[in-house]
Amino acid sequence: MIRIKVCGITNVEDAINISEAGVDALGFILAESPRKIELPKVVEISKKLPPFVSRVAVVANPTIEEIEKIERSKVFDYVQFHGSEVVNLIKKCKLKTIKAIKIENESSLEEMSKYSNFVDYFLFDTRIGQKIGGTGQTFDWEILKKVDIKKPFILAGGLGLENVVEAIKIIKPNAVDLNSKVELFPGKKDIRIIKETIDKIKNLEING
């Protein structure tokens, strides 16, 4: 079963509608981004979410104090590290960890070796300058077939209604991460497109 995460949630309406549409996880970007949300607002949104929807804190080069604040909030199930974090910082995180690897070419995969012994999951996204995600651009998925990925992983980077099924067939990820391709504008999701995308993924699982 392919798990589905929608990232870049900024408001309670989207959070509730997307949860009810059947996604497995919501991503809240606490780092600098057009989709940035402050931690107190995530706390308020979380009080209105249905049970069994996971919440992911997306950070980039946070301080240990910021990680501790995320942990103390008791809002999140995962922390997704999207920067060039030092190993010890991630090791100290008490929540489940996702390390984003930004793909530009085959050599980008070498970064995995620094984190593979202790992170829980990898996420593969498109490298566009210093942006932490939400670029709307895909990378060459065939690159991932050239390495043995020993952990469950999430595929991100420009995925949406028009290409997510193709990506799943080629890469066979454990989960997909949807963001900019399912938006009306940065930070405001298109619930119709999200529902259609979820239906496509579920139909693929049923029909093969």
Side-chain angles (χ1 to χ4, degrees), residues 36 42 44 86 119 150 205 207:
K36 182 177 181 178
V42 183
E44 289 304 308
V86 297
V119 297
K150 299 184 183 297
E205 293 173 340
N207 300 317

Side-chain angles (χ1 to χ4, degrees), residues 45-68:
I45 290 173
S46 295
K47 293 175 182 176
K48 300 178 182 178
L49 292 178
F52 308 123
V53 178
S54 295
R55 286 153 292 196
V56 183
V58 181
V59 297
N61 302 314
T63 63
I64 188 63
E65 290 78 16
E66 288 169 331
I67 294 299
E68 289 171 349

Side-chain angles (χ1 to χ4, degrees), residues 25 27 43 83 91 104 111 132 172-173 185:
V43 173
K91 281 185 174 179
E104 184 175 8
E111 189 182 8
I132 71 163
K172 298 179 174 56
F185 52 84

Side-chain angles (χ1 to χ4, degrees), residues 97-184:
T97 54
I98 302 167
K99 181 66 185 89
I101 304 295
K102 299 175 188 175
I103 306 297
E104 184 175 8
N105 49 47
E106 286 184 43
S107 64
S108 304
L109 295 171
E110 295 171 5
E111 189 182 8
M112 279 197 300
S113 62
K114 290 198 310 190
Y115 306 100
S116 58
N117 289 334
F118 61 90
V119 297
D120 294 294
Y121 309 102
F122 282 115
L123 177 146
F124 298 102
D125 200 355
T126 309
R127 179 182 294 281
I128 303 291
Q130 299 301 310
K131 292 184 179 180
I132 71 163
T135 65
Q137 297 188 40
T138 60
F139 61 90
D140 180 3
W141 301 321
E142 295 290 338
I143 289 173
L144 296 184
K145 297 172 77 171
K146 299 177 182 179
V147 65
D148 182 17
I149 305 168
K150 299 184 183 297
K151 292 183 180 287
F153 69 92
I154 305 149
L155 184 64
L159 298 179
L161 184 61
E162 73 282 1
N163 63 1
V164 71
V165 167
E166 179 188 5
I168 291 169
K169 287 180 177 178
I170 291 173
I171 298 302
K172 298 179 174 56
N174 302 95
V176 292
D177 192 322
L178 310 174
N179 190 347
S180 59
K181 288 293 188 180
V182 295
E183 286 184 323
L184 295 168

Side-chain angles (χ1 to χ4, degrees), residues 24-39:
D24 301 285
L26 301 177
F28 297 90
I29 300 175
L30 304 179
E32 287 304 318
S33 163
R35 303 166 183 86
K36 182 177 181 178
I37 186 170
E38 299 298 333
L39 182 55

